[in-house]
Amino acid sequence: MIITEQTIALLDQTESLADLIEASESFQTYIATKQARAQSEEARLVEREFLRMKEDYEYVQRFGKHHPDHDRIKKEMHLVKRRLDVQPEVAAFKKAERSLDKLLGEVSELLAFSVSPKIKVPTGNPFFDEGGCSGGGSCGGGSCGCAI
């Protein structure tokens, strides 16, 4: 790649955009909730328990319903997952993470669509993407329901 004045200007603008994102409320909330989650002893305990249970669950899943502890492990896994999801610091972090992810997705879409409305932008969450092709545009084949 040949570095030109235009490339340098583009990199400078990219740094400015990154600074704006870091100054945003979404990013600041994300950082604060990430630190709160890391400092919470209760959150760390539930996360460790979840990871241990996840290992047991993955082991049992290899054998499926034929494993004698399948039903018990599956039930315990769901209970621990639920405890993790409702743990206050973890729940706040996940909410902040989704908010930041949404902001980054919107920025990605704005950048991509300013170049061409046909660019596919992966937002990472197909259940919440608007439009058939990860936020808009045409995927060409129409297999995802997009108009060609």
Side-chain angles (χ1 to χ4, degrees):
M1 175 179 189
I2 298 173
I3 302 294
T4 64
E5 287 184 29
Q6 186 179 24
T7 305
I8 293 171
L10 185 59
L11 291 173
D12 287 341
Q13 291 174 348
T14 303
E15 287 180 20
S16 296
L17 179 59
D19 290 342
L20 288 171
I21 291 171
E22 288 179 355
S24 73
E25 183 179 343
S26 291
F27 184 79
Q28 295 302 318
T29 302
Y30 170 80
I31 294 299
T33 58
K34 182 178 180 180
Q35 289 172 347
R37 187 187 91 191
Q39 294 171 354
S40 169
E41 184 63 32
E42 181 186 348
R44 286 197 306 265
L45 288 173
V46 175
E47 286 171 350
R48 275 195 297 263
E49 184 179 358
F50 173 76
L51 291 174
R52 184 192 56 76
M53 184 56 66
K54 183 179 171 192
E55 288 177 11
D56 293 347
Y57 181 77
E58 288 171 352
Y59 175 77
V60 168
Q61 285 302 104
R62 290 185 7 208
F63 302 99
K65 293 190 178 226
H66 303 291
H67 192 283
D69 294 328
H70 176 268
D71 292 338
R72 180 183 61 81
I73 297 287
K74 186 176 177 181
K75 182 178 179 181
E76 287 178 17
M77 178 66 184
H78 289 295
L79 291 172
V80 170
K81 176 70 169 103
R82 174 73 177 141
R83 281 187 39 223
L84 181 64
D85 288 342
V86 299
Q87 200 286 326
E89 288 83 9
V90 172
F93 172 73
K94 286 183 177 187
K95 182 178 178 184
E97 190 176 43
R98 284 189 303 273
S99 175
L100 180 59
D101 189 54
K102 182 179 177 192
L103 173 65
L104 293 173
E106 290 171 357
V107 169
S108 296
E109 283 183 351
L110 285 171
L111 289 171
F113 297 158
S114 70
V115 173
S116 170
K118 295 189 182 252
I119 292 178
K120 293 184 259 180
V121 180
T123 61
N125 194 339
F127 297 110
F128 298 109
D129 287 344
E130 293 180 15
C133 281
S134 300
S138 173
C139 62
S143 62
C144 67
C146 293
I148 297 179

